[in-house]
Each structure stands twice: as C-alpha cells, then as structure tokens.
Amino acid sequence: MDTFISAEDTLEQEEAEEEEEHIPPLVIYWFHAIDKPIVDPIAIRKAKREASFHISHPITPSTTQSNKQHPKNWVPFSKRDTIALEKAYQSQGSINLVSVNEDYLFEVDIAKREISPIYWEGPVFEVRRASWFMQGEGGKWIPCEEAMATQIEEGYSKHRPYVKPLISETEQDMGDPVDDIQPDSVESIKKEADTIEEREDLVAPYLNQYIVYKSSIEAWLLYDTTTGKIAKTFFTKFSNNPNLGGTRLLRGYIEVKREAKKKEEAEKASAPVGNTEGVSPKSDSPPRISTDLGDLPRSVKTPSKKKELEEAQAIRQNEEDYDNEESEEPPRVIDQVLFVIHGIGQQMSERLGQNFVHDVNILRKTIKSTYSFAVSGTTSLKNPNGIQVLPILWRKSIAFGSDPDDLDTLESDLGLPDKDDGCPTLAEITLEGAPNIRTLVTDVFMDIPLYFTSRYHDQMISVAAQEINRVYKLFIDRNPDFLGNNGQVSVIGHSLGSLLAFDIMTAQPLSNTEKQQASHAAPISNAKVDPLLFPIKNFFAIGSPLGMIMLLRSNKMVSRKALDPSKQHLASIGSNNPSNAVSFVYPAADHVYNIFHKSDPVAYRLEPLIVRHFSSTLKPEPIPYIKGGLKSVLDAGFNVGNDIALKANAMFESIRTNFNSSYLMRGLGFIRQGESSQNDAYTRSQTDPNMGLTRMAAKSEAKLKLLNPNGRVDFYLQEGLLENAYISALSVHMSYWADIDVAGFLIREVYKNQHMTEERGGVTRSVSV
C-alpha cells in the first residue's frame, strides 16, 4: 500500500530541513583596547622631554608608533553603547561619531575604529566590531581583527559546521592519544598531517593560516607550515582530538561569557573548602583584565622591570578612566559642572605615569559613590546627582626652554656665525650632577618661578581661560539642555591652579557701575584674558597657597556684590586712609571656598585677607566628617551636646543684654519708651568700646557673607583619630581627589547654593530621571 504524503506535510518537512540548516544568529559586540594606544600625546611629550635632556633627535608621533604591537587587553562596551555603535555602523557612513561610555565622555570614530576622550587630551585606542574571539595568553579572549573575522565567518557559512561537526580524515584515523606517538615517528606524523582535511584557507594578510571548524561555536586557527602540521598532529593525538595545536576560536561574545562562567565554576569547585582566595566574585561578564601589580617589586632597579611596572600601571589607569560599567543606565541630567584646574608638577606626574585627568576621574567617581549619604538628612536637597567634573589642562601649552623641536637646526645655526643662534634650552644650561633631583626641580618647582614671571604668568592665565571656554563650548554643544535646567558652573583650583583660577576671575571685566564704585583695585595682569562665556557660581580653592600670594601682593579680597551702590560701605572699609598700601581684588564668583587639610604644607587661610581682625579670632570651619568609624560616633555625641550649650549661652546673653541696656535704663526714667531702641544703639556706640567692636564685627560678617552665604570662607578637613599630622603632611596635598569628606562638601554646597538661587528667583525646577 502506497503511503500518501500530503502537500502540507511536504512543505513542513522542507521548512524543517531549511530551519535545520539555517545559520545560527551571530550577535555582534563592540570592544575597545586599553593598552598599546594608537596615539598617546602624553607619551610623545614624555619622550620629547627625555630626548631634550640627552640632545638627541626630536621625537615625533611616527617614531613613537614604530614597531607597533597589537593590543592584548580589551574591554566590552556597554549594551547601550554597542547598540548605538552597531546602528552607526549599519548606517553606512551617515553616522560616524558616537558618544560612548560613562556620561558620554568619550567618542568613537566608526570609520577609523578609534575611541578618544571628548573634553580632554588622552590616549586614542583601537575599536573592534567583534564577532569571533581568539584565546590569548592566560586564557583571555581577544576579539579577532575584523578582516580575519570576516573570512572566518564566510568559511563558517560555506562549511556549515552548525549542521554537523566537521571531523577531518586526520582526526578519524587517530588512535589512542599517547600510545600511538613513538619517538621515531616524526616522518609518520608528517605524512598524517598531509592527509586531506576539510578546512578554510585564509587570504592576505593572513597567508599560510587556515581554519578548522570543530562545532557550531568553536574553530581552530592553524598554520600551514611544516612546524604547524607537526604541532597539530602531536597535540591532536595527545589530547584525543580536543586540542588541535593552534589557537582556539569562539563564535560570538555570548559563548565567551559562557566559557568564562564555566572556568569560574571550575575554579570554585577545585578550590579548598573555606578558601576563596584568588576566586573572582560571581559576575555576568568575564573578568576584563588582571592589573594586579603585586608580582612587581616596589623598588624597581632594572629598566625592563621599570617598563613592565609602568605599562601595568598605565593599563590599570586606562581601565579606570575608560570605565563604562555604569553606562547601562540612561544618561544623567547634568545641572552642575565643575571645571578643575591642576597645579604644579603636571610634567612630573606624566613622567611617573600619573596624570591629572586620572585624578579628576577619581573625584568624579568619589562624588557619585558619596552622593547618596552626602545628601541624606538635608531636606532641601532632593535632586538626583547631576554633577559633572571636567579637567582643565594648561601646562602642556606652556613651552619653557625644553622643547627640542629646534634641535634639527643646530648645525645650520653653528654654520652661520653672523646670525644669532637663539635662546638656549633649559637642558643646555642644566648641570649633569644629581640628575634625578634636577629633573624634580625642572618638572615640579619650575612652575612656581614661571608663575611669578610676568611673561609666563600672562601666558598661563590666558591659556587656562581659553581652555575653560573651549571645554565649556564642547559641553554645551553636547548638552543643550544644561542652560534650560538652570545649570550652574563652578571652578575648582588645586594648588597653583587655584592661583590661576583666581587671577582669571579677577581679570574679568567690571561693569561701568562697578568701575565707579571700585576703590584701590589691584591690577592682576597686563595680558588680555578672554572673558569667560559663563558666570562662575562657586569657586573652590583646594590645598591653595592663594593666601600667601595675596599677602605678598598686599591684596585683600572683596566680593563684587559689595560694588552695588547700596552696599558701598562694605567695599570701602580701610580705603579712606590715604597711606593705606592695601589694594583690593574683586573675583567674579558668587561664592568663594577655601578647602584645606591642616597638615597641608602648601595651604593658607583666606579669611584674614577679607576681614583681618574679625577672622583672626575665628578658627577655620570644620567640614563634616562622613567617613564613618569611631570618630563619627564620637563627633555625633559631641555635636549634640555642643549645640545645646551654644543655644543656652546665646539665650543667656540675649536676656542679659536686653535687661542691662533697655529695661533697667527705662525703669530709672532716663529714656522714654519710644526712644529706647534707637538711642540705645547710638549711645553705646559712642561710649561702649564693645559696641564699636560689635558694629565692626557686623560689617565684617556681612563682607564674609557676600563672598559665601555660610558667613565663612575657610573650611578644613578633620583628621581621623589615628591620623598623625606630621605623617599626613607628606601626602595630604594630593589626597583631596579621593577624599569622601571633600566630595560630600562639594555636593552639599553646589546644590544648596543652587536651591537658594532658585528660591530667590522663584524658579520651579523639575528634573526628569
């Protein structure tokens, strides 16, 4: 009896066969390198400086990229960024630049396959559109070059290993893995390696390489050479087929993550019970890289070890600076921008592998991690974190006698005695003895005499102002809603950077009314400083020697608000004395803060340069200690008791003063009731010296409040219970960036001032999250 097959059954069978042979979907993921940069301007400048002190030929970008090695450390973009990058790639050129990573601080050029910072100078790394991955050193999976991955995928479609595993004739003839290998069987191995197998040969630039597909997710990259054939046959026999003696390949990032998870579970299973050392915590993504420097000695003596340490440190910093693990969330609404200006020693930092950008990135991350408990308990601060921190780099643009670019004209200059050969470089006048100390002086302390030299001082503040405006324009172009969200700009100056920031603010032009009211205004610079494109809401001087510099200049600080005609009496204190040598500076900032650690040898106070006698009796205001620990517990109890004592003392003083000055005199009949309050203040001001001091204190306090709504300008970081001031003095000047108390203080003050501004202006602000 014939079996009847309907047309519907035939169609279903054909669809099933087609589905069986359908190519498995390939999920594309985008990666970028964090080592072996394509261009590293910091490394180029470092090489130039080193060359200048050895009178060698100038270093150019081309020479620094010779013998380029391929990156070995790669990190994946976030899912959000991968989708955006793939969309731009599929647009076939209509979208070429894509902002990526945390807060969109970096940009990918799709055509060039490069990632670089948007707002600051930094290394440029390679980007890959990853589909196939090869196993590298230490079991790390590296995305294949795109040209190679394309050829591998074409062979995958051609040989269809997803239908059934492809086993070559060589593998079918294999016997027991070890017993079949004899010491004198090299020739037989060669013959077996020549056995015809099904493979995909790669073309240029990967000649003499081919692919063997093991399964729907796995393949092997092998070399078509005699040595490669012998290695393949040997490893295949020895491992009983799983290892073909080449480089293992996996298809798709999903399989890479599965492989990493299997490896992690195997490590946990093999680890002794109760011993979890060396086992990574469970994660949905594979470990990125190992940047542990524990294997490297701290005192590096050999050049090779020193270079190894520097490279490992650079990889670790690049991983942190290009971090994108938090970028899965929607972009934040930015309403506060902090521009941070660096101080002295930037060249030394670059020489030692550190850089100011890394410090600013640490501050940004510290603010983010501190935000939740920094604003806890403050009823007025309900904003989500909208603070962005951006570095301002100025030192790279200041050339002082160390640029070797003119060394190639040395011979021609020597051959022309009738012409002047130019100004010598710093390297040419530097003695050879104690090179390490001289390098320290050149790279660190040289910034200080440069600041006090009129020519370079003017160049410093001009370059810094231009850089601030450049970064601000970039930020507004990429965040057009910033001004609509009532965004505010603050400036942070660290060390010498605070001097530059202050000089830029005092060099901002005064209005005609302010010019008429200003008295004894001190000229800061003869240079033409570009006006800033925005008003500065807050100025934070951190670890600042500004107080010392103002004292040397015989300057005192006055708020520009005091130049309002209604507040002229506050701006003219001390100016009525013709012999007074003090001049006044008027910074263009609404609020001024001076933050320091008491052990910081560089920092000085500012309040005596605003109101001398009043502030001399006041100690700097402590910044709330939120680091936790025993000190926080003790401080909480102390603050409660101290608050009660202060309120009780204030109440007692109020009762005593009112009784003595008003009720008693009125009871004796010397003052009529209607005249008591008015005449009392006048009489006491003429006869009671304490009343005169009170009036002066009130004016002084008003001047401080014009510069800061807290009525204070100097704020200090509190020490821990076990902290030693002398030991801390060696490190505190560079420790502000990761300090939780500093981050918390910045958060509270910028948002408190914004809240006060909006209340005065009647602004209702809504933030979408």
Side-chain angles (χ1 to χ4, degrees), residues 573-592:
I573 296 177
S575 62
N576 55 356
N577 185 0
S579 62
N580 193 353
V582 175
S583 55
F584 296 94
V585 289
Y586 304 90
D590 287 353
H591 309 131
V592 176

Side-chain angles (χ1 to χ4, degrees), residues 288-303:
R288 293 185 176 178
I289 59 171
S290 174
T291 55
D292 183 16
L293 305 182
D295 295 337
L296 298 177
R298 292 188 177 273
S299 57
V300 182
K301 297 181 179 180
T302 63

Side-chain angles (χ1 to χ4, degrees), residues 273-458:
V273 179
N275 180 19
T276 58
E277 183 178 358
V279 178
S280 302
K282 185 175 181 180
S283 174
D284 293 336
S285 59
R288 293 185 176 178
I289 59 171
S290 174
T291 55
D292 183 16
L293 305 182
D295 295 337
L296 298 177
R298 292 188 177 273
S299 57
V300 182
K301 297 181 179 180
T302 63
S304 60
K305 284 292 184 181
K306 180 180 179 181
K307 183 178 180 180
E308 183 182 355
L309 176 60
E310 290 177 351
E311 290 179 353
Q313 186 175 10
I315 292 174
R316 180 180 61 186
Q317 288 189 5
N318 290 331
E319 184 187 25
E320 294 176 356
D321 293 343
Y322 285 71
D323 183 36
N324 55 14
E325 62 180 2
E326 299 295 336
S327 61
E328 301 295 348
E329 301 177 358
R332 298 186 298 149
V333 176
I334 304 299
D335 54 8
Q336 294 286 341
V337 174
L338 308 182
F339 291 134
V340 188
I341 305 177
H342 67 78
I344 67 173
Q346 184 62 19
Q347 292 193 7
M348 174 59 73
S349 299
E350 293 180 356
R351 185 188 296 273
L352 297 177
Q354 301 286 341
N355 62 79
F356 177 67
V357 171
H358 183 66
D359 295 333
V360 174
N361 290 337
I362 290 177
L363 176 60
R364 186 188 309 109
K365 296 179 187 301
T366 305
I367 288 177
K368 288 185 177 182
S369 62
T370 307
Y371 188 86
S372 59
F373 57 90
V375 300
S376 61
T378 55
T379 56
S380 61
L381 300 182
K382 299 300 182 181
N383 310 60
N385 180 16
I387 301 176
Q388 185 58 274
V389 188
L390 299 175
I392 301 298
L393 305 176
W394 57 267
R395 185 60 179 88
K396 61 185 177 64
S397 301
I398 308 298
F400 170 67
S402 59
D403 192 351
D405 289 343
D406 59 346
L407 290 178
D408 55 352
T409 62
L410 180 61
E411 296 181 0
S412 61
D413 290 341
L414 293 177
L416 297 174
D418 56 330
K419 293 185 178 181
D420 184 75
D421 57 358
C423 185
T425 65
L426 182 61
E428 293 171 350
I429 66 173
T430 301
L431 301 179
E432 295 180 356
N436 292 334
I437 297 178
R438 294 187 185 278
T439 300
L440 176 67
V441 172
T442 301
D443 288 348
V444 179
F445 300 110
M446 188 59 65
D447 290 344
I448 300 175
L450 288 180
Y451 175 79
F452 285 103
T453 304
S454 176
R455 171 189 171 187
Y456 288 102
H457 170 267
D458 295 347

Side-chain angles (χ1 to χ4, degrees), residues 448-512:
I448 300 175
L450 288 180
Y451 175 79
F452 285 103
T453 304
S454 176
R455 171 189 171 187
Y456 288 102
H457 170 267
D458 295 347
Q459 186 180 0
M460 284 179 177
I461 62 175
S462 178
V463 167
Q466 292 173 8
E467 181 66 8
I468 292 174
N469 284 336
R470 184 192 70 84
V471 176
Y472 178 77
K473 287 180 181 178
L474 280 175
F475 179 80
I476 294 300
D477 290 342
R478 287 166 168 77
N479 298 269
D481 296 333
F482 175 74
L483 298 178
N485 291 330
N486 303 311
Q488 297 177 345
V489 180
S490 301
V491 173
I492 299 176
H494 176 249
S495 189
L496 180 64
S498 64
L499 306 184
L500 299 179
F502 189 79
D503 289 348
I504 291 172
M505 291 186 299
T506 54
Q508 297 303 300
L510 295 169
S511 65
N512 292 331

Side-chain angles (χ1 to χ4, degrees), residues 560-578:
R560 292 197 176 192
K561 301 173 187 174
L563 299 178
D564 187 297
S566 62
K567 300 176 181 178
Q568 179 62 17
H569 63 287
L570 298 176
S572 59
I573 296 177
S575 62
N576 55 356
N577 185 0

Side-chain angles (χ1 to χ4, degrees), residues 205-265:
Y206 312 105
L207 296 176
N208 297 324
Q209 299 181 60
Y210 65 97
I211 305 296
V212 173
Y213 299 94
K214 294 277 290 183
S215 66
S216 61
I217 62 172
E218 183 183 10
W220 286 81
L221 173 64
L222 303 166
Y223 287 87
D224 192 12
T225 61
T226 302
T227 305
K229 293 176 181 179
I230 295 174
K232 175 180 179 298
T233 305
F234 178 84
F235 278 100
T236 303
K237 285 180 173 290
F238 186 79
S239 63
N240 197 17
N241 295 344
N243 192 331
L244 298 188
T247 302
R248 190 180 175 209
L249 305 173
L250 285 181
R251 184 176 185 264
Y253 185 50
I254 296 176
E255 299 302 329
V256 172
K257 292 196 291 185
R258 288 175 181 170
E259 188 74 13
K261 187 175 182 180
K262 290 179 183 178
K263 182 179 179 181
E264 179 183 341
E265 292 175 351

